[in-house]
Amino acid sequence: MKTALIAIGSELLDGKIIDKNTQYLGKRLTDLGHNLSKVIICGDEKEELTKLIQSLKDYTIFISGGLGPTLDDITKPMLCELFKEELSESEAATQITLTHFERGNRDYDKSVMHYHLMPEGFTPLLNPVGYAPGIYINQDEYEIFSLPGVPAEFQEMLEQSIFPVWFEDQNDRFIKNVIVKTWKVPESKIFHELAPNLWKRLEEFGTVSSLPHSGGVDIGVKLNAKSKEQLLADEKEVLKLINSTPIKDYIWHIGPELLEEVIVLKAKEKGLTIGFSESCTGGLLASRITDISGSSSVFWGSVVSYSNEVKMKSLNVSEQTLKDYGAVSEQTAFEMAQGARKHLEVDIAVSTTGIAGPGGATPGKPVGTVGIGVSTKYKTESKIYHFRGNRLSLKQRFSQAALFKMLEAIIEA
Amino acid sequence: MKTALIAIGSELLDGKIIDKNTQYLGKRLTDLGHNLSKVIICGDEKEELTKLIQSLKDYTIFISGGLGPTLDDITKPMLCELFKEELSESEAATQITLTHFERGNRDYDKSVMHYHLMPEGFTPLLNPVGYAPGIYINQDEYEIFSLPGVPAEFQEMLEQSIFPVWFEDQNDRFIKNVIVKTWKVPESKIFHELAPNLWKRLEEFGTVSSLPHSGGVDIGVKLNAKSKEQLLADEKEVLKLINSTPIKDYIWHIGPELLEEVIVLKAKEKGLTIGFSESCTGGLLASRITDISGSSSVFWGSVVSYSNEVKMKSLNVSEQTLKDYGAVSEQTAFEMAQGARKHLEVDIAVSTTGIAGPGGATPGKPVGTVGIGVSTKYKTESKIYHFRGNRLSLKQRFSQAALFKMLEAIIEA
């Protein structure tokens, strides 16, 4: 089964908001042994949309967006035209709608909103979070799921109304993405110097990919087996192959988990508590860790100390250090890490202090300079690093480097 | 000119990473008076890609991804095939590549990497951040910009190598998206009760849109004028029209700026300093504010107090309050806001304490419950709210509600 997502919304193309539904749908379909093959983001022109859907006849189509109550919400009228159906009052849709409005303590006004209208051929889908019911259509060679665009509604509708009915345990293929995450080695070295024949040998098992990003390279092999047994055997063989090369010394994790997930898992395993003091990452380290459910059992807190006053007061950074070396220095990073470990009473603390730009550069300290400190009960260390990018990508790179330092400290502890 | 982005990468479809380039390109093209009309995210199958490009002949095409040094990087071979060109050593590409490798203190190995190869018909583009040069092609009715997929490289190549040459001051249309941001009123009420004729009247000036999100509705009118004078006159007229309706009482900002940008701007205007104490948002409030350049002049810091110990120690929340009412309560939110204002020594502090799930719910406090507190020198207040969604969308909604509280407090101060 090939699946495609059509994300409708001029606000996605204007850059007013970021599309979060692609990643969610792609990840979950992959988890369930399916595949997202294609995504099209487009505006809400009826004719273009109709053509697009017609060009995707051999796909299961997800549509996100265009289901709201206002005059610019075109998905339902467009689908009616395509299937030559008329909108009429649907008992099922009305019931779903009224339940939602009662839940929100609001009155539903039929003269103004059209949530309760749906042709007979369409199946309304429960929306556990918002007001607009979704739509399922299976006719004239088409299979279409139409969902709201708001990420919380899109995601919960998938989880509660769509996946359990149409996608779970329906697949006759056994797909798994084996992911081996490496660090401290550049991409070009992996497949040329360390393991020149590996890529070709891995290709016997599935599609091979190599994804470099700040701080590491993820090697992926997408297995596509005919039975559960073969899938397990293939996975074992792939890992054995990789582990027979010098790459094995550069692996920090095997599996799809994010760096922040691995940190939470490993800290939990070792019974360690962690915390941060953040200047240039401005809360991003803490936010990434708290994205992980269960993080509260290891993560105590973070002191986001954007001002020097907070650095001195909460983290006990000395005024003299700030005066002599500046806020962005090895010395300040050192004292921030030490101060955070004591203040938050954690086993390991990591600190960041740097210049994310565009302003703030000083002679010898360009934008992209960052001091990262690590403090455990055995030792405290800090170092200056340099990265390139704009403000947001630098915050991301600073945070990635700092989280890698945290992982290192957890592994060593 | 119509423009399209083709984002190549199975890691985008698998959900391993989120596509950040669409938003960036869309926002910047809009800023420059252009338009992103369509985005296609797809895997790296050569044949499909070729067909896709052939179907976009009347577009200026941006391609992201597939330019790395490993065996799975197909963009350059695919483009060569499409234009019937042969790869050969290019002086310009070699020079760009060597400069980059010197900058990174690494040796370039021609036998392994193919950055220096480029057909004569293609123009290599400087990559200010990474190794792979970009490609510009203008032949056989096609105009194509091929860029690396890594967001920092994609973005800086646009800013430094592409926009200044091809996109700035080249347009003969005058486009502007007038955005009016409202709060405290549901979307359905705006265009039905408050201003039933507004939508139609606004449509005389351009495409009208309505974007609801947690905490508000953004009304957009995309003006498309023939002169600068007409653009200014149209904008004035649109704002006059909206301000002549009761909507005017629900406007919190006019312009494309994000909530966090408006907070920084308004706090700066009033000479106020701000800070947070965060439990359930886990650093996201601070991270959103520090995404804004210049935030350091108003934002002092945030105490991310995931554990009760940190709540008591840094924020002076009393043990009795935690025992009697629990960490997720109006009382704790109150003391956290008050404590943060004192500890961080800021004019306004906002606190969050809630349950982002999936675990942590208790009787009477389901997942989605959040206490938000606001403390200024005049008063401290707190209240419980309820939202729906999964962990990540709840963190987002909690942070949106808390930032709106911050904006309110700044406006009132």
Side-chain angles (χ1 to χ4, degrees):
Chain A
M1 178 173 60
K2 293 201 289 180
T3 61
L5 168 65
I6 301 175
I8 302 175
S10 58
E11 66 277 10
L12 298 170
L13 294 169
D14 284 352
K16 268 186 239 144
I17 57 174
I18 191 164
D19 163 40
K20 292 180 180 164
N21 294 333
T22 295
Q23 185 184 29
Y24 193 87
L25 180 64
K27 188 173 182 319
R28 291 292 290 123
L29 283 177
T30 306
D31 288 349
L32 293 167
H34 298 271
N35 224 337
L36 181 59
S37 329
K38 203 176 193 172
V39 176
I40 299 104
I41 308 177
C42 59
D44 50 6
E45 281 153 43
K46 218 191 262 185
E47 210 176 306
E48 204 195 322
L49 268 168
T50 307
K51 271 192 204 154
L52 189 55
I53 293 177
Q54 285 166 338
S55 76
L56 295 168
K57 256 196 182 164
D58 45 342
Y59 288 77
T60 294
I61 304 173
F62 291 85
I63 302 175
S64 74
L67 283 182
T70 63
L71 298 167
D72 65 341
D73 294 300
I74 65 144
T75 302
K76 210 152 53 175
M78 183 263 302
L79 290 171
C80 285
E81 231 177 84
L82 178 65
F83 291 101
K84 301 192 177 54
E85 299 270 8
E86 293 287 328
L87 275 184
S88 62
E89 211 162 313
S90 144
E91 206 178 307
T94 307
Q95 210 158 12
I96 290 177
T97 304
L98 290 181
T99 312
H100 294 192
F101 273 77
E102 276 160 23
R103 193 181 64 207
N105 269 327
R106 283 178 55 195
D107 292 327
Y108 182 68
D109 183 349
K110 277 188 183 182
S111 67
V112 161
M113 297 180 240
H114 56 61
Y115 291 144
H116 64 292
L117 301 177
M118 189 91 52
E120 268 188 40
F122 296 3
T123 309
L125 299 171
L126 257 178
N127 180 341
V129 180
Y131 293 112
I135 302 167
Y136 175 65
I137 303 168
N138 191 351
Q139 65 188 67
D140 306 349
E141 302 169 73
Y142 289 98
E143 183 168 36
I144 299 175
F145 295 92
S146 166
L147 297 87
V150 179
E153 300 184 29
F154 180 87
Q155 294 169 13
E156 287 306 298
M157 191 177 282
L158 285 178
E159 295 301 341
Q160 298 189 37
S161 313
I162 296 176
F163 288 155
V165 184
W166 284 278
F167 286 84
E168 274 165 22
D169 297 322
Q170 309 274 324
N171 58 312
D172 53 353
R173 290 188 308 168
F174 295 86
I175 292 177
K176 182 170 182 176
N177 222 336
V178 179
I179 297 172
V180 175
K181 303 198 166 191
T182 67
W183 58 357
K184 299 173 187 176
V185 57
E187 188 187 19
S188 56
K189 208 176 160 187
I190 293 181
F191 290 104
H192 295 290
E193 284 177 45
L194 295 185
N197 301 316
L198 184 65
W199 189 286
K200 285 222 165 119
R201 294 193 62 189
L202 290 176
E203 274 186 330
E204 289 166 27
F205 296 90
T207 313
V208 186
S209 63
S210 159
L211 176 63
H213 47 75
S214 56
V217 178
D218 297 350
I219 302 167
V221 185
K222 196 160 188 177
L223 306 177
N224 189 346
K226 286 199 180 101
S227 70
K228 204 173 173 179
E229 292 67 35
Q230 199 207 317
L231 190 73
L232 286 171
D234 282 0
E235 182 178 5
K236 220 172 138 185
E237 203 54 40
V238 159
L239 294 178
K240 210 172 117 191
L241 260 175
I242 294 175
N243 275 317
S244 72
T245 72
I247 293 174
K248 72 173 191 300
D249 299 330
Y250 298 95
I251 296 173
W252 60 269
H253 183 63
I254 294 169
E257 288 76 20
L258 299 171
L259 176 53
E260 42 270 46
E261 275 179 284
V262 177
I263 286 173
V264 170
L265 282 171
K266 289 221 196 293
K268 215 181 266 184
E269 264 171 39
K270 295 202 167 185
L272 296 168
T273 56
I274 63 171
F276 303 106
S277 46
E278 311 185 47
S279 188
C280 57
T281 50
L284 182 58
L285 290 175
S287 189
R288 287 182 62 180
I289 290 290
T290 59
D291 279 352
I292 309 306
S293 62
S295 52
S296 59
S297 65
V298 300
F299 175 66
W300 253 218
S302 178
V303 179
V304 181
S305 54
Y306 231 52
S307 73
N308 281 345
E309 286 79 358
V310 177
K311 287 185 187 79
M312 291 188 283
K313 188 172 173 186
S314 296
L315 300 169
N316 211 21
V317 174
S318 83
E319 200 171 352
Q320 201 59 43
T321 301
L322 291 168
K323 220 181 258 169
D324 292 349
Y325 304 100
V328 179
S329 61
E330 251 173 53
Q331 289 79 1
T332 300
F334 187 99
E335 292 182 25
M336 281 175 69
Q338 207 165 42
R341 194 169 67 82
K342 286 186 187 147
H343 182 79
L344 299 169
E345 297 175 30
V346 292
D347 297 314
I348 307 174
V350 166
S351 67
T352 59
T353 177
I355 304 157
T362 55
K365 292 179 188 171
V367 169
T369 306
V370 63
I372 298 178
V374 187
S375 182
T376 69
K377 64 179 156 180
Y378 305 108
K379 63 177 175 192
T380 301
E381 289 175 335
S382 66
K383 213 180 142 184
I384 294 287
Y385 302 83
H386 295 278
F387 295 95
R388 279 165 184 270
N390 57 25
R391 185 174 180 90
L392 293 191
S393 63
L394 280 174
K395 269 184 74 179
Q396 196 60 39
R397 287 178 170 205
F398 293 165
S399 78
Q400 193 70 5
L403 289 183
F404 271 121
K405 282 282 156 201
M406 175 60 86
L407 180 60
E408 256 181 9
I410 293 171
I411 291 171
E412 282 169 16
Chain B
M1 179 172 59
K2 292 202 288 180
T3 62
L5 168 65
I6 301 174
I8 301 175
S10 57
E11 67 276 9
L12 298 170
L13 294 168
D14 284 352
K16 269 187 240 143
I17 57 173
I18 192 165
D19 162 41
K20 292 180 181 165
N21 294 335
T22 295
Q23 186 185 29
Y24 193 87
L25 180 63
K27 188 173 181 319
R28 291 293 288 124
L29 283 177
T30 307
D31 289 348
L32 294 168
H34 298 272
N35 225 336
L36 181 60
S37 331
K38 203 176 194 174
V39 176
I40 299 106
I41 307 178
C42 59
D44 50 7
E45 281 153 43
K46 218 191 262 185
E47 209 176 306
E48 205 195 319
L49 268 168
T50 307
K51 270 191 205 152
L52 190 55
I53 291 176
Q54 285 166 338
S55 77
L56 295 168
K57 257 195 181 162
D58 44 343
Y59 288 75
T60 293
I61 304 173
F62 290 84
I63 302 175
S64 74
L67 283 182
T70 64
L71 296 168
D72 65 339
D73 296 300
I74 65 145
T75 302
K76 210 153 51 175
M78 184 263 304
L79 290 171
C80 285
E81 231 176 84
L82 179 66
F83 291 101
K84 301 193 176 54
E85 299 269 7
E86 293 288 327
L87 275 183
S88 62
E89 210 163 313
S90 144
E91 206 178 307
T94 306
Q95 208 158 13
I96 290 176
T97 305
L98 290 181
T99 311
H100 294 192
F101 274 77
E102 276 161 23
R103 192 181 63 206
N105 269 327
R106 284 179 54 197
D107 291 326
Y108 182 67
D109 183 348
K110 277 188 183 182
S111 67
V112 160
M113 298 181 241
H114 55 61
Y115 292 145
H116 63 294
L117 302 177
M118 190 91 50
E120 269 188 37
F122 296 2
T123 309
L125 299 171
L126 257 180
N127 180 341
V129 179
Y131 293 113
I135 302 167
Y136 173 65
I137 302 167
N138 190 351
Q139 65 188 67
D140 307 348
E141 302 169 71
Y142 289 98
E143 183 168 36
I144 299 175
F145 295 91
S146 166
L147 297 86
V150 179
E153 299 183 29
F154 180 87
Q155 293 168 14
E156 287 306 299
M157 191 178 280
L158 285 179
E159 295 301 340
Q160 297 188 37
S161 313
I162 296 176
F163 288 156
V165 183
W166 283 279
F167 286 84
E168 276 164 21
D169 297 323
Q170 309 272 326
N171 57 314
D172 53 354
R173 290 190 307 169
F174 295 86
I175 291 178
K176 182 169 184 178
N177 221 337
V178 179
I179 297 172
V180 175
K181 303 199 167 191
T182 67
W183 59 357
K184 300 173 185 175
V185 57
E187 189 187 18
S188 57
K189 207 174 159 186
I190 292 180
F191 291 105
H192 295 290
E193 285 177 45
L194 294 185
N197 300 316
L198 184 65
W199 189 286
K200 284 223 166 117
R201 294 193 61 189
L202 290 176
E203 274 185 328
E204 290 166 27
F205 297 90
T207 314
V208 186
S209 65
S210 158
L211 176 64
H213 48 75
S214 57
V217 178
D218 297 350
I219 302 167
V221 185
K222 197 159 186 178
L223 306 176
N224 190 346
K226 286 199 181 101
S227 69
K228 205 172 171 180
E229 290 68 35
Q230 200 207 320
L231 190 73
L232 286 171
D234 282 0
E235 182 178 4
K236 219 171 140 184
E237 203 55 39
V238 160
L239 293 178
K240 209 172 121 191
L241 259 175
I242 295 175
N243 274 317
S244 71
T245 72
I247 293 174
K248 72 174 191 301
D249 298 331
Y250 298 93
I251 297 173
W252 61 269
H253 183 64
I254 294 169
E257 287 75 20
L258 298 170
L259 176 54
E260 43 270 46
E261 274 178 284
V262 177
I263 286 173
V264 170
L265 281 172
K266 290 222 196 294
K268 215 179 268 186
E269 264 171 39
K270 293 201 168 185
L272 297 168
T273 56
I274 62 171
F276 303 106
S277 46
E278 311 185 46
S279 188
C280 57
T281 49
L284 183 57
L285 290 175
S287 189
R288 286 181 62 180
I289 290 290
T290 59
D291 279 352
I292 308 307
S293 63
S295 52
S296 59
S297 65
V298 300
F299 174 67
W300 253 220
S302 178
V303 179
V304 182
S305 55
Y306 232 51
S307 73
N308 282 343
E309 287 77 0
V310 178
K311 287 186 186 77
M312 291 187 283
K313 188 171 170 184
S314 295
L315 300 169
N316 212 20
V317 174
S318 84
E319 200 170 353
Q320 201 59 43
T321 301
L322 290 168
K323 222 180 258 169
D324 292 349
Y325 304 101
V328 179
S329 62
E330 250 173 54
Q331 290 78 1
T332 300
F334 187 99
E335 292 182 23
M336 279 175 70
Q338 207 165 43
R341 195 169 67 82
K342 284 185 189 150
H343 183 79
L344 298 169
E345 298 175 30
V346 292
D347 297 314
I348 307 174
V350 165
S351 67
T352 59
T353 178
I355 305 157
T362 55
K365 291 178 189 171
V367 169
T369 307
V370 63
I372 298 178
V374 187
S375 182
T376 69
K377 64 179 157 180
Y378 304 109
K379 63 178 174 193
T380 301
E381 288 176 334
S382 66
K383 213 181 142 184
I384 294 288
Y385 302 84
H386 294 278
F387 295 95
R388 279 164 184 271
N390 58 23
R391 185 174 180 88
L392 293 191
S393 61
L394 281 174
K395 268 184 73 179
Q396 196 60 39
R397 287 178 171 205
F398 293 165
S399 77
Q400 194 71 6
L403 289 184
F404 271 122
K405 282 283 158 200
M406 177 58 87
L407 180 59
E408 255 181 11
I410 293 171
I411 291 171
E412 281 170 16

